[in-house]
Amino acid sequence: MTELEACVVALIAREGPCTAYQVRMSFEQSAASTWRASTGSIYPLIRRLVERGVIRSDKAPDSKRGAKLLTVTQTGLRTVRDWLLEAPDWIGDAAADPIRTRVHFLQLLDDEDRAQSIRGMIDATQRSLADIAEKMDRLKAAGDEVERLTHQGAAAMMEARLDWLNTVEAFFRPGNAED
């Protein structure tokens, strides 16, 4: 089972009966852009999970649009448990990071463009950090401490990224870089 599949099953297990649209909206609100799954990926994934017997799809009572409520089967619950207990070495690896990838190639730019690029990365990270802080405030007010805790982890990673980007900026300051 892929990480995305396991996450979808776990989300349905945690949220209780919900629609595919509600699952997609949960992903849309994720702090991580890689989890913002599109309609084109979530709905086929849910169909596959139903076919495999990991989740069940039943017509929602009182639904005029024919919405289906998704629930997790016993097989799905065992799958989620196994996924949560599994800790393969790769989950501790550095995640894909487009900023880290771009930094790898900054030497291709002149000093002015390089400084502009780094400033853009810093600004984008600061905006994302501000968005996360706002979400954490809303989650705290709503009493959703578990979701707030996951956003706190994202914020810590972004704060570490900002510290690192300051180091990158100092390194590439004219006269410091080893071009």
Side-chain angles (χ1 to χ4, degrees), residues 25-40:
M25 290 291 84
S26 290
F27 278 91
E28 187 67 30
Q29 297 166 9
S30 173
S33 61
T34 55
W35 287 108
R36 294 189 188 132
S38 68
T39 301

Side-chain angles (χ1 to χ4, degrees), residues 128-147:
S128 292
L129 190 54
D131 289 345
I132 294 277
E134 191 177 296
K135 285 179 185 177
M136 287 173 55
D137 288 343
R138 285 195 307 268
L139 291 166
K140 184 175 184 176
D144 192 344
E145 289 301 311
V146 173
E147 191 69 21

Side-chain angles (χ1 to χ4, degrees), residues 16-126:
C18 57
T19 65
Y21 177 78
Q22 289 169 312
V23 171
R24 192 172 70 80
M25 290 291 84
S26 290
F27 278 91
E28 187 67 30
Q29 297 166 9
S30 173
S33 61
T34 55
W35 287 108
R36 294 189 188 132
S38 68
T39 301
S41 63
I42 286 292
Y43 292 105
L45 182 143
I46 287 173
R47 277 193 295 279
R48 287 191 305 273
L49 293 171
V50 168
E51 289 169 4
R52 290 181 8 211
V54 179
I55 59 175
R56 193 174 66 240
S57 174
D58 299 304
K59 189 174 186 300
D62 304 326
S63 172
K64 294 177 181 150
R65 294 182 26 210
K68 305 265 177 137
L69 282 180
L70 305 171
T71 54
V72 178
T73 65
Q74 287 301 311
T75 300
L77 289 173
R78 284 190 299 275
T79 300
V80 168
R81 181 183 181 278
D82 292 347
W83 173 67
L84 289 170
L85 291 173
E86 179 187 39
D89 288 342
W90 65 264
I91 67 171
D93 291 349
D97 181 353
I99 287 180
R100 198 173 60 242
T101 300
R102 289 171 190 219
V103 165
H104 190 74
F105 299 106
L106 284 175
Q107 290 175 304
L108 298 172
L109 299 175
D110 64 31
D111 289 345
E112 186 177 326
D113 286 347
R114 186 180 306 129
Q116 179 183 339
S117 177
I118 294 168
R119 177 50 39 204
M121 293 177 207
I122 289 171
D123 291 347
T125 303
Q126 288 173 330

